[in-house]
Amino acid sequence: MVSCLLLQALVAAPATAEGVDGLQRAPVAAVTQDALGQKGDQNAQTALFLPFDAQTGIAAFWSGPDFIVVADQPAPAMMRASGGTGVFSGLTVTVLDHATLLRIPLPQHPALRLSRQKEGWQLQAPEPASLQKKDGQTALAPSGAAGGGAASASAAASTSASAPAPATTAASTSTSATTTTAAATSASAGSSSPSSSSTATLSSTGAALAGKPSSGGGGGAASLHTITAQPAPGYVLFPLQQPGHEFELPDPATGARLLIATSRTASGGVAQAQHAVGYSVRPTLEGVVVEADADQIVMQGTAKGAVLHAVSLHPVPVGLPLPEPVTEASRQKDWQWFGLQEASPATLSAEREEKLAALAKASPRQKKAATFAAAQAAFASGAFQKAAALLADMPETTPDSGSASAAGSATLRPEIALRAASALLAGNMKGAQALAAPEWISLPEFHLWQGLYGLYAGQNSQRTAILLAAGFAQAQHYPAPLRDRIAPAMALYIARYGTPATVRMMEPLPDGPAYDLPRALLQAREGKTETARVALENLTASDDAQRAAIARTEIVRLMQDADLIAPDMAADVYRKLLKGENGASPAPADIRTLTAVGLAHALIRNGEPKAALSVLEGLQPSADVPEDVLAEAYRAALYRLVFNDASASLGLPPGSEEELSVTQRTALVAQGLPHVPDGAEKAKLLLGYGHLLLEAGHADTAATAFSQAIAMQADPQARAEGEELLAQAAMQAHQLALAQMALDHAVSPLMPDDLAARKAYDAARVAQARGETEKAQALLAHDESDAGLDLRGQLYEAAHRWADAVLVVGRLASRGLPQDGALTEAQRALAFRLATDAAAARDWETLHRLKDWLAGRTLGRERDALFTLLLRQMPRSAASH
């Protein structure tokens, strides 16, 4: 398998499922043979085999001059493929915690071919020998075509792609490039009518993103194996036969936020770039890549593919327009499907008993309808467990009520909605999974229920809070049994995790004891600490055990945040709450995660990150602690390990638990990093982690950490700083090629002077290691830093240019040697270095001044003896000067 990772020259063979290379936004520039740097047979291709198994999805696309392949699983073995040969000689591989990123510099944008093989994927590019001469230029022709017709199509595609672009619009240029490349690919696959299929695919994609119904795209997409976007009210679906995973990464070239959806089988990618409000869809060779300009644009994975939509109080338009809201409650679909009615709780309970009695008398033919009616009545009356039990006994109309196709059927939607909502409020999250289907986005009444699913599933707090806040007024108009079940939980969640904008959606907060807890949290957010503290104290005596447990945990957090209680005391109280000591009952199971995370934060602030990580281990996201909040606790603990020496900063006694060695700290960080999501915050953490690894002498591992950090940084300057650190680690690991590549990538429009100086110094060190002394000296010509002077001195010493060495090392010594007082070991070494350089240059004046400057201070027994010998070599005239 290792040999499969290497670049190979392969004979062109028919591919079973090929992607369409419609990636060029502009015609491909002419390429010379020398630019690709290989020679081979006329029919040969250069190929790179990617050994990703059938469970690993990939996406492939252009990012500036680089071709990017992203796999949604970590593949450490791919690291061996870095630095290949031929076309792919610049290949670098970065393995993240949850993905693998391949970056291949191909500034000429050759027409690539990607095909799914039995044991992985094969990326092919034409061999330089297959370039065709035309009009005095060397043009890059797609290779691998079979037969004369295919060769003609291939040549036509090459000519169109390589010729200078006429003055047309961007849209027409993109369409032309895509159509010709698609035609060539279709021809090589034996298609009889490539152009019509391509047109159908492109028009469907354009219609989907413009918010218009798609027409005639189905057949074209199937024949070309391309992804055709399917619009719907509020979202766009990118169908994938076997979807992989979704994640975010910054664009390596621009830093733009990319939403990436991978495919486990050949889909052909997206043929043409499209632009819309807040986002644009990039052309890809495989998978889906969306450049999101607006933070509210998100991508969600489903069984049918990737769904793009917006989550905001004021969402940008995605897909088709949403239907106008219905003002009359009884006409809204949630009221109709759930069987809701404006009636008193007593009336609703009576209605439930009536429907249950009717169910008991129903004939077999009436059984299903009577069961559904009874479940509706039970749900409306607040008997959610009963509703879920009734629906569990009723045969499902579809084998998979949670599938996107099931949710999309109008005749099945009432049953699916009631099943999912009943399961959710009965505590059965598996039964509620249908609420995660994207089709509910098209129904504004059910955004609230998607928010409730996110709440109880522990999903991202910011997105969930937006959905809940937008539906808070809707929940207030539900019948009392349903309203009283969901609205207080929504208010508590928004008060705890919502932004000021989402909090305002609840104003004024309803009266009543059910809202006392969120009211106290809002008072704390407003800075009314004492008022909030008194309110929480009163709630600790509540008859509601869950409410009292939350209040006890929240009051500790409030006092700690206000510096009214020391971290060690807060940690002690949290432990007692978890154990139920001092008369307090143990925290209920569903509150324990909230209390445990509070304990972890107290331990972090107390300088005990190792203990905090032990507390966090095994915790899962919950209604009280969403996934991003739990990840933040891990990040805080790791930051403390990386950026703070607990013993020094907190005055902990020697031998305490947190007096950890560098090796212990790096081991703990390595274990915790997978719990922190990728992004700028993790990138900062990785940079500090890399510094620790360098300190521990693990340069190879440090280089990996720096590479990961660079892949997560969107800011050009931050990426340049990461590349410079990567160069340092690579040099320590004796990987000069990697160091040089990192320095080449370390570019930023507004690079600070200190970073530019460090980059020049690193480049000089690489040149020194390669024996390029003159180049190194030129790079250091204006570097007056201690490190720069030291390296310049080394270069002069190595070249036996002793007079120049004396000038440089002398400037270094004038800064570093004190006029009086004992010398450190580094200062002694510097003084003796200047002495030996001066003696070698026969610069007796400098040697004499150094003797006077030292004024009898020792350089160490051995150096003192040698210094005396050097002084004896001086001519008497110089010695007496």
Side-chain angles (χ1 to χ4, degrees):
M1 180 61 71
V2 174
S3 61
C4 295
L5 297 172
L6 303 177
L7 300 177
Q8 303 169 357
L10 302 177
V11 177
T16 56
E18 295 174 348
V20 177
D21 181 12
L23 303 183
Q24 293 88 346
R25 294 191 179 188
V28 181
V31 187
T32 64
Q33 240 175 336
D34 291 341
L36 296 177
Q38 272 194 340
K39 295 181 179 180
D41 183 75
Q42 285 280 352
N43 297 320
Q45 287 182 326
T46 298
L48 175 66
F49 186 76
L50 311 177
F52 298 124
D53 61 29
Q55 300 306 311
T56 301
I58 72 165
F61 56 98
W62 286 105
S63 172
D66 299 335
F67 188 73
I68 307 296
V69 179
V70 178
D72 58 19
Q73 300 288 341
M78 282 298 299
M79 292 293 291
R80 302 178 187 176
S82 290
T85 58
V87 177
F88 304 115
S89 60
L91 169 68
T92 59
V93 180
T94 303
V95 180
L96 306 177
D97 287 326
H98 308 290
T100 303
L101 175 64
L102 280 69
R103 183 174 178 177
I104 310 170
L106 297 170
Q108 305 297 344
H109 280 211
L112 302 176
R113 189 184 300 270
L114 184 66
S115 59
R116 189 74 170 96
Q117 306 295 322
K118 183 178 180 181
E119 296 180 351
W121 295 81
Q122 183 168 276
L123 179 65
Q124 291 176 300
E127 187 77 16
S130 66
L131 300 177
Q132 300 181 353
K133 291 283 185 180
K134 185 175 180 64
D135 299 331
Q137 290 186 340
T138 304
L140 182 60
S143 58
S152 299
S154 179
S158 175
T159 303
S160 175
S162 302
T168 59
T169 63
S172 63
T173 300
S174 178
T175 304
S176 174
T178 303
T179 304
T180 54
T181 312
T185 305
S186 183
S188 66
S191 173
S192 58
S193 57
S195 58
S196 61
S197 298
S198 175
T199 303
T201 302
L202 298 181
S203 64
S204 297
T205 305
L209 297 171
K212 300 176 182 179
S214 177
S215 59
S223 63
L224 268 180
H225 304 290
T226 54
I227 300 171
T228 303
Q230 297 179 0
Y235 71 93
V236 174
L237 170 67
F238 296 92
L240 294 167
Q241 186 176 7
Q242 291 190 29
H245 298 288
E246 300 73 33
F247 48 91
E248 296 182 17
L249 276 178
D251 182 9
T254 66
R257 175 174 172 245
L258 300 183
L259 308 179
I260 301 173
T262 61
S263 175
R264 290 182 290 169
T265 58
S267 68
V270 176
Q272 182 180 6
Q274 294 291 334
H275 304 277
V277 178
Y279 70 95
S280 58
V281 182
R282 289 193 177 187
T284 65
L285 204 61
E286 191 55 71
V288 178
V289 176
V290 173
E291 182 176 326
D293 302 319
D295 291 340
Q296 60 178 269
I297 301 294
V298 297
M299 186 176 283
Q300 173 186 346
T302 71
K304 285 205 162 186
V307 169
L308 192 74
H309 62 110
V311 181
S312 172
L313 295 175
H314 307 286
V316 298
V318 179
L320 301 178
L322 288 169
E324 291 294 327
V326 178
T327 56
E328 186 179 345
S330 61
R331 294 180 55 205
Q332 294 174 357
K333 288 185 172 59
D334 52 347
W335 281 67
Q336 294 175 354
W337 296 352
F338 293 160
L340 305 181
Q341 52 184 304
E342 295 179 351
S344 66
T347 301
L348 294 173
S349 295
E351 177 81 7
R352 178 188 69 221
E353 297 305 320
E354 180 182 335
K355 296 295 184 182
L356 289 173
L359 173 60
K361 299 176 182 178
S363 65
R365 293 184 60 185
Q366 301 170 327
K367 190 80 170 177
K368 183 170 183 178
T371 300
F372 188 71
Q376 284 182 316
F379 184 87
S381 67
F384 308 113
Q385 296 281 358
K386 182 65 176 177
L390 288 168
L391 291 169
D393 294 334
M394 184 180 79
E396 294 189 37
T397 307
T398 175
D400 182 9
S401 62
S403 69
S405 59
S409 173
T411 58
L412 302 180
R413 273 180 163 181
E415 177 186 328
I416 295 168
L418 186 60
R419 281 183 184 273
S422 299
L424 181 69
L425 299 184
N428 177 10
M429 294 305 298
K430 183 177 181 181
Q433 285 180 348
L435 291 173
E439 281 78 3
W440 303 112
I441 299 172
S442 299
L443 300 175
E445 304 97 315
F446 284 88
H447 292 180
L448 159 65
W449 289 92
Q450 288 204 306
L452 284 171
Y453 179 80
L455 186 159
Y456 291 111
Q459 294 179 349
N460 180 275
S461 65
Q462 296 306 301
R463 298 171 190 171
T464 300
I466 289 171
L467 294 172
L468 295 176
F472 190 73
Q474 174 187 343
Q476 291 298 314
H477 290 92
Y478 278 157
L482 179 57
R483 177 197 66 210
D484 294 344
R485 173 67 173 81
I486 64 174
M490 294 168 62
L492 177 61
Y493 192 96
I494 296 168
R496 188 182 279 150
Y497 300 120
T499 63
T502 55
V503 167
R504 285 194 294 270
M505 299 292 290
M506 299 193 299
E507 296 176 350
L509 199 64
D511 296 327
Y515 297 93
D516 285 345
L517 188 53
R519 187 174 292 110
L521 296 186
L522 290 177
Q523 290 168 344
R525 290 183 58 159
E526 294 168 1
K528 302 174 182 177
T529 304
E530 184 59 21
T531 304
R533 187 192 65 79
V534 172
L536 290 171
E537 284 280 10
N538 293 334
L539 286 169
T540 59
S542 172
D543 293 335
D544 186 322
Q546 185 178 40
R547 191 177 303 165
I550 294 177
R552 283 192 287 268
T553 294
E554 292 290 358
I555 197 173
V556 182
R557 184 174 71 167
L558 170 67
M559 296 179 70
Q560 185 179 1
D561 290 344
D563 289 328
L564 299 175
I565 184 174
D568 59 341
M569 187 177 297
D572 187 54
V573 176
Y574 279 126
R575 288 191 182 100
K576 290 177 179 177
L577 290 177
L578 288 170
K579 296 178 182 178
E581 295 179 1
N582 290 354
S585 57
D590 51 353
I591 308 300
R592 291 184 66 82
T593 301
L594 180 67
T595 308
V597 170
L599 171 58
H601 278 292
L603 291 168
I604 294 167
R605 294 181 65 175
N606 198 44
E608 302 178 71
K610 180 181 178 182
L613 289 173
S614 297
V615 171
L616 294 172
E617 187 177 358
L619 295 184
Q620 297 297 323
S622 67
D624 291 292
V625 183
E627 58 188 11
D628 54 318
V629 175
L630 183 58
E632 170 59 22
Y634 271 103
R635 188 194 65 80
L638 298 180
Y639 261 50
R640 193 58 184 259
L641 283 167
V642 168
F643 297 111
N644 294 91
D645 185 336
S647 298
S649 62
L650 297 171
L652 297 178
S656 65
E657 178 190 34
E658 295 307 321
E659 190 178 346
L660 303 172
S661 67
V662 172
T663 301
Q664 290 173 314
R665 290 161 66 191
T666 54
L668 288 169
V669 173
Q671 293 172 12
L673 277 171
H675 296 282
V676 180
D678 293 343
E681 293 294 329
K682 186 171 184 177
K684 180 180 177 181
L685 183 59
L686 284 164
L687 291 179
Y689 175 52
H691 279 293
L692 279 180
L693 289 166
L694 284 178
E695 184 181 341
H698 303 304
D700 287 322
T701 313
T704 299
F706 292 139
S707 297
Q708 292 173 333
I710 294 164
M712 299 177 197
Q713 281 286 11
D715 179 65
Q717 182 175 322
R719 289 204 305 273
E721 290 176 351
E723 295 282 10
E724 191 273 329
L725 290 171
L726 173 58
Q728 290 187 33
M731 282 185 284
Q732 288 193 29
H734 307 292
Q735 299 182 39
L736 296 182
L738 176 59
Q740 185 62 60
M741 185 178 297
L743 292 171
D744 292 341
H745 289 159
V747 293
S748 174
L750 299 173
M751 183 178 291
D753 292 341
D754 60 335
L755 178 57
R758 294 201 306 272
K759 178 183 174 182
Y761 173 76
D762 294 336
R765 288 182 60 197
V766 173
Q768 178 195 28
R770 289 176 168 175
E772 301 170 353
T773 303
E774 295 299 326
K775 179 180 178 180
Q777 289 287 9
L779 289 166
L780 294 171
H782 303 289
D783 190 343
E784 291 296 316
S785 67
D786 288 354
L789 291 174
D790 176 62
L791 184 55
R792 288 170 69 184
Q794 292 180 36
L795 292 168
Y796 286 134
E797 289 161 351
H800 292 183
R801 294 171 58 179
W802 301 112
D804 292 329
V806 169
L807 291 175
V808 172
V809 178
R811 291 206 298 277
L812 192 61
S814 66
R815 299 176 187 176
L817 298 182
Q819 189 169 1
D820 50 36
L823 301 178
T824 65
E825 175 57 30
Q827 291 167 344
R828 293 174 180 177
L830 176 59
F832 186 72
R833 177 184 178 186
L834 178 58
T836 54
D837 288 350
R842 305 186 70 78
D843 185 347
W844 310 120
E845 184 178 355
T846 297
L847 193 61
H848 187 272
R849 286 201 304 269
L850 178 61
K851 172 181 175 293
D852 292 342
W853 186 268
L854 292 176
R857 287 177 289 178
T858 181
L859 301 181
R861 180 181 301 176
E862 184 176 346
R863 291 196 190 105
D864 284 343
L866 293 172
F867 189 50
T868 300
L869 288 175
L870 293 177
L871 291 173
R872 288 176 180 173
Q873 295 177 10
M874 283 196 303
R876 290 189 177 184
S877 57
S880 62
H881 179 68

